[in-house]
Amino acid sequence: MNISQAILHEELQSFEKTFREAVKSQNPLLDRVMRFVVKRKGKQLRPMFVLLSAKLCGKVNEATFRAASLVELLHTATLVHDDVVDDSLERRGFFSAYALWKTKISVLVGDYLFARGLLLSLDHDDFRILQLLSEAVRQISEGELLQISKARTLHLNESDYFEIIRNKTASLLASSCAVGAYSATGDEEMTRKMRTFGEKVGMAFQIKDDLFDYGGQRIGKPTGNDLKEKKLTLPLIYTLNQVDRSTRRDMIYTIRNHSTDTRRIRKVISQVVDAGGIRYATGKMQAFRDEALAILFSFPESESRQGLEELVRFTTDREY
């Protein structure tokens, strides 16, 4: 992401300042947890989409920095809550807030991040930006609940899968691009166009995440984590629809009753590879990427378009 970071060098510094101010607290415990969480936030992918979308459509301004901060506050809140829901003790290779402060504090910290985001927008009358991002939060919750309900029955078809990832992952990236465009232009048509662009990128991003579960030459050993958590992802859904009834029954039995048995899970992974599940999912991922690029290339050539193209290609080419 060298081009994007170079293009946004000054903007990212201003964003960091706005974001740090937004998470400050007078409560010593909360401030300590906040510093821990903020220090370990990731690649800032979503704020970069906000800032580059604004630059592509118009000019970055104070509303853009607030929008980028709101996106990061909401994203961080969902991650803190996700770790509680998933009983996850790790986040990005280090202890999660949940591992260190347990359920009560983690839930309250996530709530605090949501509240700070709401206030950041309301205090500056950024009502449309708040509306766009509140819609994403609703979709994320619905996507999570749909995934949990489907995991219990292990009954999931491709349209269910796409609905889950559209809500759970793509909605926040879609809203990130939408609020970037809106902050710079106030133009609803441009906002819709960039929302569609972001959704396509988000769909490709999640399918890439799913593919990591199955390994590959560039990725390394398969983890099988999704299978262990009984998550039905696109490579598996495709495979279950391709294999004969007996093989399908055996695969579902393994996932339902032996999801922690490494040997059995490796066998399922091999069956997915042999049935063409990886190839099929990769094709779908590339199709979403290409649809996103087609929207992007409808804009004139510019530095910001180049930066967004780099981010789009990063989502499908990344190795982590």
Side-chain angles (χ1 to χ4, degrees), residues 22-51:
V23 296
K24 272 187 181 173
S25 167
Q26 300 304 310
N27 181 297
L29 172 59
L30 186 53
D31 202 47
R32 190 160 73 249
V33 182
M34 282 293 101
R35 284 201 305 272
F36 174 84
V37 170
V38 170
K39 195 174 179 181
R40 283 164 184 81
K41 62 186 170 60
K43 300 177 282 291
Q44 299 182 335
L45 200 61
R46 287 155 195 83
M48 284 200 281
F49 270 106
V50 176
L51 295 166

Side-chain angles (χ1 to χ4, degrees), residues 300-319:
E301 169 63 52
S302 67
E303 204 178 43
S304 48
R305 193 184 92 169
Q306 191 181 2
L308 279 167
E309 181 184 353
E310 181 190 53
L311 289 187
V312 172
R313 296 194 184 280
F314 169 77
T315 62
T316 54
D317 298 345
R318 63 202 165 99
E319 296 180 35

Side-chain angles (χ1 to χ4, degrees), residues 259-318:
S259 62
T260 57
D261 186 325
T262 304
R263 183 184 60 81
R264 282 175 176 262
I265 289 296
R266 278 186 186 150
K267 184 184 176 186
V268 171
I269 290 170
S270 295
Q271 288 169 316
V272 170
V273 173
D274 293 343
I278 308 302
R279 187 170 59 249
Y280 179 79
T282 301
K284 287 288 186 184
M285 174 189 74
Q286 291 169 343
F288 280 118
R289 176 201 64 196
D290 293 345
E291 288 170 17
L293 289 174
I295 295 170
L296 184 61
F297 292 157
S298 70
F299 288 89
E301 169 63 52
S302 67
E303 204 178 43
S304 48
R305 193 184 92 169
Q306 191 181 2
L308 279 167
E309 181 184 353
E310 181 190 53
L311 289 187
V312 172
R313 296 194 184 280
F314 169 77
T315 62
T316 54
D317 298 345
R318 63 202 165 99

Side-chain angles (χ1 to χ4, degrees), residues 11-30:
E11 286 89 349
L12 283 170
Q13 287 183 327
S14 296
F15 153 73
E16 281 287 351
K17 186 179 175 186
T18 307
F19 183 78
R20 279 197 302 271
E21 283 297 314
V23 296
K24 272 187 181 173
S25 167
Q26 300 304 310
N27 181 297
L29 172 59
L30 186 53

Side-chain angles (χ1 to χ4, degrees), residues 116-134:
R116 291 299 296 174
L118 295 174
L119 289 168
L120 179 63
S121 293
L122 292 172
D123 287 348
H124 296 88
D125 297 338
D126 296 332
F127 299 121
R128 181 63 178 133
I129 285 169
L130 181 57
Q131 185 181 34
L132 287 163
L133 283 161
S134 296

Side-chain angles (χ1 to χ4, degrees), residues 61-225:
N61 54 52
E62 289 303 314
T64 312
F65 292 125
R66 291 194 298 270
S69 297
L70 175 56
V71 165
E72 194 71 349
L73 284 163
L74 296 179
H75 178 56
T76 306
T78 61
L79 294 182
V80 172
H81 281 171
D82 276 354
D83 288 337
V84 177
V85 171
D86 297 337
D87 195 23
S88 178
L89 302 178
E90 266 193 28
R91 169 65 58 185
R92 299 187 180 109
F94 202 74
F95 290 121
S96 64
Y98 169 65
L100 298 175
W101 286 285
K102 304 307 174 193
T103 302
K104 280 185 183 177
I105 289 174
S106 297
V107 170
L108 291 168
V109 164
D111 292 346
Y112 176 78
L113 285 162
F114 278 123
R116 291 299 296 174
L118 295 174
L119 289 168
L120 179 63
S121 293
L122 292 172
D123 287 348
H124 296 88
D125 297 338
D126 296 332
F127 299 121
R128 181 63 178 133
I129 285 169
L130 181 57
Q131 185 181 34
L132 287 163
L133 283 161
S134 296
E135 178 66 18
V137 174
R138 178 188 67 77
Q139 287 182 268
I140 290 166
S141 302
E142 288 181 352
E144 285 283 4
L145 288 165
L146 180 59
Q147 185 173 60
I148 289 167
S149 67
K150 293 293 181 180
R152 283 177 179 163
T153 59
L154 288 181
H155 179 70
L156 188 68
N157 57 38
E158 203 170 294
S159 63
D160 288 332
Y161 167 79
F162 284 128
E163 185 185 348
I164 287 168
I165 69 167
R166 186 173 284 111
N167 285 341
K168 202 179 142 193
T169 303
S171 61
L172 190 56
L173 210 46
S175 294
S176 298
C177 296
V179 296
Y182 186 83
S183 71
T185 66
D187 184 281
E188 289 293 344
E189 191 176 332
M190 189 70 77
T191 300
R192 277 193 298 274
K193 183 176 180 178
M194 290 307 293
R195 192 192 183 288
T196 304
F197 162 76
E199 185 178 273
K200 303 286 188 190
V201 181
M203 298 293 277
F205 184 93
Q206 185 57 54
I207 296 172
K208 179 66 172 185
D209 258 14
D210 294 347
L211 286 165
F212 283 140
D213 209 44
Y214 294 90
Q217 285 184 324
R218 295 172 65 194
I219 302 165
K221 289 181 182 177
T223 63
N225 287 337

